[in-house]
Amino acid sequence: MRRIAISVTVLLVVAGVLAAQEDDQYRAESDHYQVVSEVSRSHARETAERLEATLELFNDYFHFDLSELPSRMQVRIFEDKDEFDSYLARVIDETREDFIYLHYGDLRRSELVGYMRDDAEYEYSLNHQAFIQYLRSFVSEPPLWLREGFAVYFEEVAYDEGTKQAVHRENLSWLETLRDIVEGSYSEPAIPLETMLSLDVETARERIDVFYPQAWGMVSYLLNSEHRDVNRIIWDAIHALEPDASMAENAERVEEQAVQWVDEERLVEGFSQYLEQRKSFRELVQEGMDGYEADEDERAEQSFVRALTLRDDNHVPYYYLGLLNYDRGNFNLADYYYRQSLERGAGEALAYYALGVNAYADERFEEATTYLERTVELDPDGYGDEAEQLISRMEE
């Protein structure tokens, strides 16, 4: 699916932010959120901005009237897990490993709660639970597959602090597992479609390893199928939701208004074909590496480029695209890809050696020497030996 960039104008009150320190807490308000952070004033403000951007992206799919929110959505982020655990123990008498959305009938009491972590899981968990908070602020009890399927679908949404944009990155982390489930090679069988449509929380917990991949897969298929009548199912399902209905009642409404008229056999067959055609980031990278080793440069390049549409933060596709362009004599383009690879965490010795060899082949000898000397410093016993040979050749 193409990447979707959503622009957002965040109107923060009181000269850009309403922030005050109260018992080590910082507060920030935006159009639709009130954020309480123990981390810093800037963290509260930036979290509010980020959530506004993701809210606009979510609403591009659901088209709820945001003016109908009775109050701002509440978000609370602690500085560490001990404080997070202590708070949850007081509120719900249990703890969690990451973000949790606490839902009550009164939106002013409901809140998204988490603690600060400097890793990708923090971002994924925030996206997941922020979507659930958004959806349940308008529809208290949506069908579980739709709620969790969309939440997983949005987990890898990225936020650009410079442009204040939320960018949809497709989440295919469950693809290979789901393919095994559908093919019957997984340790547990698939959940039948009829059961998925009306699944309750308790039953989902019992089948959690299968439920999450299938819920994500249903949403991904219904959104991205090339058949418009299949796409229509998801939009009809959203339209069928009633704000105050129970989960069972909303599930029944979705089945009657969105699914009942569809040929189930055709839908299941189309779902299987959809999964067979999709490839995960890992699969595309492996396909590219295999193509490179087999001297099938065009196939390799196509695979690496497709991999970058899923994840542009991994160094491996960039490095191999550098190799491919070096082999073709496209030295400037090879240099670009090697640098991109280095910025995204490639081994420094290998990256500098590749840059040095590329510059040498392009007869940029002074630049090549700089790169190769850096390689020797970083890895004297590995790539350093080959780097020294090239340096010696240039000094002759």
Side-chain angles (χ1 to χ4, degrees):
M1 180 178 178
R2 65 183 179 88
R3 291 170 53 168
I4 305 172
I6 307 296
S7 64
V8 60
T9 301
V10 183
L11 301 177
L12 297 174
V13 299
V14 189
V17 63
L18 175 64
Q21 185 173 3
E22 299 176 3
D23 299 325
D24 297 325
Q25 294 180 345
Y26 301 90
R27 300 177 185 272
E29 286 187 356
S30 62
D31 283 352
H32 304 101
Y33 288 92
Q34 176 172 278
V35 177
V36 177
S37 170
E38 286 192 348
V39 181
S40 68
R41 180 176 289 105
S42 62
H43 178 259
R45 182 187 67 248
E46 290 161 5
T47 301
E49 292 175 348
R50 175 199 175 99
L51 289 170
E52 286 289 345
T54 54
L55 171 68
E56 190 169 336
L57 188 150
F58 298 156
N59 211 44
D60 192 53
Y61 289 75
F62 283 78
H63 301 290
F64 293 138
D65 185 351
L66 298 179
S67 68
E68 292 183 355
L69 281 171
S71 67
R72 291 181 174 90
M73 291 178 280
Q74 307 296 307
V75 179
R76 185 183 302 271
I77 302 179
F78 292 92
E79 191 169 11
D80 57 51
K81 192 172 189 304
D82 288 342
E83 291 295 321
F84 171 71
D85 287 344
S86 177
Y87 181 78
L88 288 186
R90 293 196 306 270
V91 175
I92 60 173
D93 198 27
E94 56 183 284
T95 63
R96 290 288 192 276
E97 289 305 310
D98 46 29
F99 278 94
I100 178 175
Y101 173 55
L102 305 177
H103 182 73
Y104 304 98
D106 184 351
L107 186 61
R108 291 168 295 185
R109 290 186 58 216
S110 302
E111 62 178 350
L112 175 59
V113 187
Y115 66 97
M116 186 63 191
R117 290 155 54 192
D118 188 20
D119 57 27
E121 290 302 317
Y122 173 88
E123 306 290 339
Y124 298 161
S125 180
L126 176 57
N127 289 336
H128 186 113
Q129 296 297 331
F131 171 76
I132 292 176
Q133 180 181 40
Y134 156 78
L135 178 59
R136 298 193 71 185
S137 295
F138 290 94
V139 181
S140 183
E141 296 293 342
L144 199 61
W145 69 269
L146 189 146
R147 186 188 90 186
E148 295 299 329
F150 265 105
V152 175
Y153 185 80
F154 286 127
E155 278 183 349
E156 293 199 20
V157 166
Y159 176 63
D160 187 322
E161 293 183 0
T163 63
K164 301 294 189 289
Q165 293 180 336
V167 181
H168 182 262
R169 297 188 304 184
E170 191 165 14
N171 180 13
L172 295 177
S173 58
W174 287 111
L175 176 61
E176 294 178 63
T177 299
L178 180 56
R179 197 182 292 134
D180 290 342
I181 292 170
V182 171
E183 292 173 353
S185 58
Y186 193 65
S187 57
E188 297 182 45
I191 301 172
L193 175 61
E194 184 177 352
T195 304
M196 279 292 294
L197 291 172
S198 59
L199 207 63
D200 58 31
V201 174
E202 183 177 349
T203 307
R205 285 200 186 108
E206 294 172 357
R207 303 290 312 277
I208 198 71
D209 291 341
V210 175
F211 168 72
Y212 268 112
Q214 282 195 233
W216 162 78
M218 287 174 65
V219 168
S220 180
Y221 170 55
L222 295 177
L223 286 174
N224 298 321
S225 172
E226 61 184 15
H227 301 291
R228 296 184 65 179
D229 60 331
V230 174
N231 305 143
R232 178 183 167 183
I233 294 172
I234 200 76
W235 311 126
D236 286 350
I238 292 171
H239 182 73
L241 300 177
E242 280 291 332
D244 299 322
S246 68
M247 183 179 292
E249 289 169 339
N250 270 324
E252 184 176 355
R253 289 178 59 85
V254 167
E255 188 166 4
E256 289 177 349
Q257 298 183 32
V259 182
Q260 192 174 51
W261 55 271
V262 180
D263 185 316
E264 181 176 334
E265 184 176 343
R266 173 178 171 267
L267 192 63
V268 172
E269 182 180 350
F271 181 53
S272 298
Q273 292 174 350
Y274 172 76
L275 296 178
E276 290 173 4
Q277 294 167 359
R278 302 306 309 271
K279 292 183 184 293
S280 67
F281 175 82
R282 186 199 68 81
E283 290 173 318
L284 288 169
V285 169
Q286 187 61 57
E287 185 179 88
M289 293 169 66
D290 292 343
Y292 180 78
E293 293 299 323
D295 293 326
E296 298 175 1
D297 290 358
E298 186 174 343
R299 179 169 73 93
E301 182 176 45
Q302 289 176 353
S303 296
F304 288 127
V305 170
R306 287 177 63 195
L308 289 178
T309 65
L310 300 179
R311 285 186 57 187
D312 62 359
D313 60 345
N314 188 282
H315 66 274
V316 175
Y318 287 102
Y319 176 74
Y320 273 92
L321 287 168
L323 291 177
L324 287 165
N325 281 282
Y326 169 79
D327 291 342
R328 295 166 177 167
N330 299 330
F331 301 122
N332 287 338
L333 195 53
D335 186 270
Y336 165 79
Y337 282 122
Y338 288 144
R339 289 178 183 276
Q340 293 298 312
S341 177
L342 183 61
E343 289 179 8
R344 287 161 174 78
E348 287 189 288
L350 174 60
Y352 280 116
Y353 178 69
L355 284 164
V357 171
N358 186 66
Y360 174 80
D362 199 26
E363 298 184 354
R364 291 179 278 120
F365 299 127
E366 184 176 346
E367 195 175 331
T369 300
T370 300
Y371 290 136
L372 295 171
E373 287 177 346
R374 180 62 175 150
T375 303
V376 174
E377 291 176 12
L378 292 166
D379 188 19
D381 298 324
Y383 293 105
D385 288 340
E386 298 177 34
E388 286 182 333
Q389 292 177 23
L390 271 181
I391 292 171
S392 297
R393 192 179 305 173
M394 286 185 287
E395 291 174 347
E396 292 177 355

